[in-house]
Amino acid sequence: MPWAVLGDGSRRDVERLPLFGVAATRALEIEAARALPPHTLMQRAGGSVARLALALAPHARRIWIAAGPGNNGGDGLEAAAWLQRAGKQVTVSLAPSVQTPADAAAAGAKARAAGVALVESSAPPEPLGPDNLAIDALFGIGLTRAPAGWALAAMRSLNDGGTPVLSIDLPSGLDAEQGALLDETAVVQARWTLSLLTLKPGLFTAQGRDHAGQIWFHDLGVDAETSQASAGLLTGASTLWPARRHAQHKGSFGDVWVVGGAAGMVGAALLAARAALAAGAGRVHLVPLDPQSPALDPMHPELMHRPLTALHDARTPLENATVVCGCGGGDAVREHLPGLIARAGRLLLDADALNAVAADPSLARLLEMRAGRRRAATLLTPHPLEASRLLGLQTAAIQSARLSAAERLAQRWHATVVLKGSGSVIAAPGETTLINASGNASLATAGTGDVLAGWIGGLWAQGLSARSAALLGTHTHGAAADVWCAHQARPGPLAASALIAQLRR
């Protein structure tokens, strides 16, 4: 996904950006409008859209703007007046017979005075082609149901003309809060999106990443109070790396125990263990659930293979260890979970361990009780299907509400949660929920989730909090894929073993 480009086009030296939902954005807009002369915010918005349009498509002679009935349409009308005065041939399609807000009505009068052609057609008067520009000013954050009629026809015209599209605030049809589509068949595909006043969570997770294109942001000169943000965007994690001092030794960096790898799936546990080593854990113990698995990893002989009996030996110091459990565990992992839940000082559950908890109420209760034990921290790394099983919902329900789903999981099990997927969501009780900005579709290969579990576990073992390990691990995991893709002539799938090599760099 392209980086969000902020204001004047520079990347700010920050690692988290506030994200505002619809209610918080509207409240900020009302407060700012009261402190400014009438129509000022819309004038600033239209000017910002126009300047960006001129920068992105300087050679476009004709510009078509599809303007909705609300303030998003008003922003488009303000931009139309600017662009017409800049020498462009601008046509604005307006929804027929719709009463507009006062700001939008004033912007419409300004556009007429500038010579902009205002029409009721839901399509441009003639094909624009790829050398011109279309602007989506239909809905912004104002859409609450699937579009129909004139608006639906306008959205299809934006998508079907072969003309690059700049969306104002959000691609029309995208939910601002969660990144879900209000209708799978009706959403604008933008090449660029200019988010105004605030950045919205839906741009960075679920379907938002596919439909928003390159994201630009302008705050319209309004200083938003970050305490009102509903989430944050994790754009870096460099400050979280654990320190390594000269006088330390391998015991200073913690022990990781990886439990998984049932028959036919030993590779998953190996990937997790190798990733924990790459992360810098002092010692990594691998406990394969397949008794026939080799007792040595010839590629990484530093991995210490342990028998299953070690998990049930009171002398095994699991209370001070980080246990990564579930990677390729199959049904075999279930019988070992009660002891691991009870004893592990730090417990990361992934894959089949999560499925076992979802299927067994007694395991779910044990996991809920962990928070009452001192130093018994829990970290869960589900993908959407595993999250749906844990919450008893359909996968589509998880994907349509990714932030709230991650928060529900975190609250129920008093755990840090990484809900994987496009724009992975990191949630923890009492903390701001963050969306990870790194990563791309090259990670959609077998084993990369096992690498993430081991990588986070290896970082966690070195003294980080569960949330810090999740943030650092998730962001660097995605960033490694971004760097890898940047060096490929034709980016494709990234093999999990190659991902570990990339993480080591």
Side-chain angles (χ1 to χ4, degrees):
M1 170 193 148
W3 280 93
V5 185
L6 309 176
D8 60 1
S10 63
R11 275 177 51 185
R12 295 178 182 173
D13 186 22
V14 296
E15 295 197 317
R16 300 179 195 179
L17 296 171
L19 303 175
F20 294 80
V22 172
T25 296
R26 291 200 189 284
L28 180 63
E29 183 178 14
I30 292 170
E31 181 182 355
R34 286 174 180 161
L36 294 168
H39 315 316
T40 299
L41 275 184
M42 187 167 288
Q43 291 166 2
R44 290 178 181 176
S48 180
V49 172
R51 288 191 294 273
L52 182 59
L54 292 171
L56 295 174
H59 303 298
R61 293 182 297 104
R62 292 183 293 134
I63 297 174
W64 172 56
I65 302 175
N71 285 334
N72 198 250
D75 295 342
L77 287 163
E78 279 283 353
W82 277 70
L83 292 166
Q84 187 77 19
R85 290 194 295 266
K88 303 298 182 180
Q89 181 184 335
V90 184
T91 301
V92 177
S93 289
L94 293 172
S97 305
V98 175
Q99 185 174 0
T100 59
D103 281 1
K110 188 181 297 183
R112 286 187 185 89
V116 174
L118 304 181
V119 301
E120 289 190 357
S121 169
S122 61
E126 56 182 293
L128 295 175
D131 296 327
N132 291 300
L133 179 67
I135 297 178
D136 164 25
L138 287 170
F139 294 112
I141 63 174
L143 190 63
T144 58
R145 61 181 184 274
W150 181 93
L152 177 58
M155 292 169 67
R156 288 174 175 165
S157 295
L158 285 163
N159 286 340
D160 296 342
T163 305
V165 176
L166 167 62
S167 285
I168 301 177
D169 232 14
L170 288 162
S172 291
L174 182 73
D175 174 62
E177 304 273 2
Q178 305 285 347
L181 303 184
L182 296 169
D183 183 336
E184 290 284 340
T185 64
V187 60
V188 170
Q189 180 64 61
R191 181 175 296 183
W192 311 281
T193 295
L194 173 58
S195 192
L196 296 168
L197 191 63
T198 64
L199 284 168
K200 287 76 180 175
L203 292 168
F204 301 100
T205 193
Q207 301 286 345
R209 288 163 55 98
D210 286 323
H211 288 279
Q214 186 184 51
I215 299 167
W216 294 71
F217 171 59
H218 197 280
D219 62 12
L220 304 183
V222 177
D223 187 14
E225 176 56 57
T226 57
S227 63
Q228 301 301 314
S230 60
L233 181 68
L234 181 67
T235 61
S238 60
T239 60
L240 297 177
W241 280 106
R244 298 181 77 90
R245 298 182 176 86
H246 293 294
Q248 289 178 306
H249 52 83
K250 66 187 178 194
S252 305
F253 304 111
D255 283 12
V256 174
W257 288 69
V258 176
V259 181
M265 296 183 286
V266 175
L270 275 171
L271 286 169
R274 290 175 177 181
L277 274 176
R283 291 177 290 243
V284 179
H285 307 262
L286 175 59
V287 185
L289 298 174
D290 180 4
Q292 303 302 316
S293 68
L296 175 70
D297 177 4
M299 296 293 294
H300 291 277
E302 60 269 40
L303 284 178
M304 292 178 279
H305 288 240
R306 302 297 189 205
L308 277 170
T309 53
L311 298 180
H312 307 283
D313 188 333
R315 294 170 297 179
T316 302
L318 295 180
E319 290 79 5
N320 297 318
T322 301
V323 175
V324 176
C325 179
C327 307
D331 291 334
V333 75
R334 186 172 304 189
E335 67 178 282
H336 306 287
L337 279 172
L340 294 175
I341 292 172
R343 291 186 57 200
R346 294 172 295 277
L347 179 64
L348 187 155
L349 297 183
D350 184 55
D352 291 318
L354 296 172
N355 292 332
V357 170
D360 188 337
S362 65
L363 288 176
R365 285 193 295 271
L366 284 175
L367 191 59
E368 289 171 352
M369 294 167 57
R370 269 183 62 82
R373 291 181 53 231
R374 188 181 180 190
R375 297 176 59 220
T378 306
L379 207 158
L380 312 178
T381 56
H383 59 50
L385 178 57
E386 291 155 357
S388 74
R389 292 167 179 157
L390 288 166
L391 291 175
L393 299 171
Q394 295 294 317
T395 306
I398 300 295
Q399 290 295 77
S400 67
R402 285 175 55 78
L403 278 75
S404 54
E407 289 163 357
R408 286 181 60 186
L409 289 168
Q411 291 296 331
R412 177 173 178 185
W413 280 289
H414 312 286
T416 296
V417 173
V418 179
L419 177 56
K420 297 181 286 194
S422 177
S424 292
V425 179
I426 303 101
E431 299 284 355
T432 299
T433 298
L434 296 177
I435 299 172
N436 180 44
S438 68
N440 58 72
S442 71
L443 290 170
T445 62
T448 55
D450 303 307
V451 171
L452 177 63
W455 180 250
I456 292 175
L459 294 169
W460 195 11
Q462 297 174 63
L464 296 179
S465 69
R467 184 169 182 264
S468 291
L471 296 177
L472 178 60
T474 303
H475 187 78
T476 51
H477 180 267
D482 291 338
V483 171
W484 180 83
C485 276
H487 291 87
Q488 304 302 309
R490 187 178 178 182
L494 173 57
S497 53
L499 173 60
I500 296 174
Q502 186 68 44
L503 285 165
R504 289 180 180 275
R505 295 180 181 176

